Amino acid sequence: LTRNTSIYIAGGEYSMPNPTRAQLVEIAECVLGRERAAALSERLTERARHLSLVASADLPGTDEPGFGLAGLTPGGDDRDH
Amino acid sequence: MTVTTDAVDQYITGLSLGRAASEARAGRLTAADLRAACLQRIQDRDGELRAWAAVDTGGAQAAPPGPLNGVPIGIKDIVHVAGLRTRAGSRLYDVLPDRDAPAVARLRRAGAVILGKTACTEFATNDPAPTVNPWDASRTPGGSSPGSAVAVATGMCFGTLDTQTAGDVLRPAAYNGIVGFKPTYEHVSREGILGVAWSLDTLGVQARCVDDAVLLFHYLCAAPWRRSHEYSHKDPPRLGVLRDPLFDPDDTEMIRQPDRVAHELANAGAVIHEIRAAESLEVAHAAHRIITFAECASLHAEIYSRAAAEIGHKFRELIELGMLTFASDYIRAQRVRARFARLLREQFQRFDAVLVPAVRDVAPERATTGDSTLQIPWTLSGFPALSLPTGLGRDRLPLSVQLVAAPGADTGLLETASWCEAVLGLPQERNIATTPR
């Protein structure tokens, strides 16, 4: 895999709700290189757990009230509330 | 009896922000007195404590017009102040802003004097800053706003303007025995700050008592407010005490503070209900991490590509974990966040405030900035949250409890916190601002 193009293929391949730690390590090696992937080893275990928890959560339906677009754009204006 | 200059400075820097402003308004103190006392305190203690990134020693001596009457405050060094360099705790960032962030401008218009920029962790993330915890130099002062917490706790200024992405206001406040307040998300303008994660970053304040936080919040966002004596007779509040597996095991004094405090508040008339979170706090924590990593990587991609090897290793890890986050996971985390916020808002609206532990334990060793796990759910949901000092623990280190309310209920939360503070008292021992060196 090359860093700039094929990673999108890997992205598609691994974009599953609940990647394993081994899959995360493989992605990290592709994106960041072997040395940095090793440096992140402990954090990737933690990350796999984060993804697993979020994957297991119920999601709001499209007809439920949510955050809307609030917070999804950079910036923030100077309005009063 | 001779009153020395030192004693006068000691007296001044031990005042609350509100009292300092009223003394200046009454003409018993001048803006120059307040400024000189703070500068003297900085000269005496900052060589050791390193709370300041920059001090504006050449600022105007006259009181600026406005109800705060020249009270000196500090601004976290990721918030832009006209004419003072923003360095964000990093040697890789150095900007000289030509205008104030809107939040800073509001405080200035209210009559505050900007004394300087307080030290923060690198880019307001997790690599420890050089700031020293005044209660115990072997412990962390917290992050990412340690300079502000230490400056307020030791009387170097009367209050500070800070930012929170995870637990960056409440955690240092808890470790240093002062009040930290994070308003509802976007209640205070985020313009003019160097962000960490834009959908989470929230401006907040640190102060020595709740009334001082009320004052600062009032001038920051023009919120409706009342002075504490005007609501001291309000009915005792209805409080929830939240139970959640995230707080287990309950093996520290800090974790047990909500129960201890609830007992004392109930004796004063508060109505207490135990509740369980309608949605898992652990899942909320996980969603927060995914969102933080992705947004931080997006905001700091340029500095990473330019100088990855030169930035702190925790900041670097944060960006790299963001680079490994798929868009679908980020969006999923935002959807989980929306559900969490909706379910807990419905639950929290039934209470004036909900009591939760502020942090898992007293300040840990200096190698970290502490644990933000227990502040994260409220930053994720955008709910207002406040850490309230509750005295000193066995190790003579500050203890705190966290009060949280439904979004938009900021004023009610502050009123409730003020009621709780009045019941719990302001033990002198918790405030080291008046401690001579």
Side-chain angles (χ1 to χ4, degrees), chain B residues 80-266:
Chain B
H80 292 318
V81 174
L84 292 180
R85 306 198 85 85
T86 305
R87 292 198 172 95
S90 175
R91 60 193 172 81
L92 299 170
Y93 189 85
D94 188 350
V95 166
L96 182 61
D98 59 7
R99 62 179 180 157
D100 289 332
V104 173
R106 282 173 175 272
L107 292 173
R108 231 195 259 276
R109 282 199 297 272
V113 163
I114 310 304
L115 196 58
K117 308 297 291 291
T118 55
C120 62
T121 59
E122 186 176 29
F123 290 96
T125 58
N126 296 322
D127 296 290
T131 309
V132 172
N133 185 323
W135 295 92
D136 180 345
S138 72
R139 311 276 185 147
T140 178
S144 66
S145 319
S148 290
V150 172
V152 170
T154 57
M156 296 184 197
C157 64
F158 291 89
T160 55
L161 177 64
D162 298 295
T163 60
Q164 177 154 312
T165 311
D168 313 63
V169 173
L170 272 70
R171 190 164 83 259
Y175 289 161
N176 288 279
I178 59 170
V179 170
F181 174 57
K182 179 200 78 72
T184 298
Y185 177 72
E186 284 198 326
H187 257 38
V188 177
S189 167
R190 282 183 293 113
E191 268 185 67
I193 70 164
L194 186 64
V196 178
W198 64 81
S199 79
L200 297 163
D201 294 333
T202 308
L203 271 85
V205 298
Q206 296 189 70
R208 258 177 254 148
C209 61
V210 174
D211 279 3
D212 287 355
V214 171
L215 266 175
L216 290 169
F217 178 60
H218 167 68
Y219 292 119
L220 276 171
C221 67
W225 71 300
R226 287 173 281 170
R227 288 178 188 277
S228 61
H229 69 266
E230 292 170 348
Y231 53 81
S232 59
H233 299 298
K234 94 186 213 39
D235 292 336
R238 183 181 168 87
L239 299 173
V241 177
L242 190 66
R243 307 288 180 208
D244 190 87
L246 201 65
F247 308 153
D248 295 335
D250 62 344
D251 57 353
T252 67
E253 286 179 284
M254 201 69 105
I255 285 284
R256 291 193 292 268
Q257 283 303 292
D259 283 336
R260 187 192 75 70
V261 165
H263 181 72
E264 208 168 322
L265 298 176

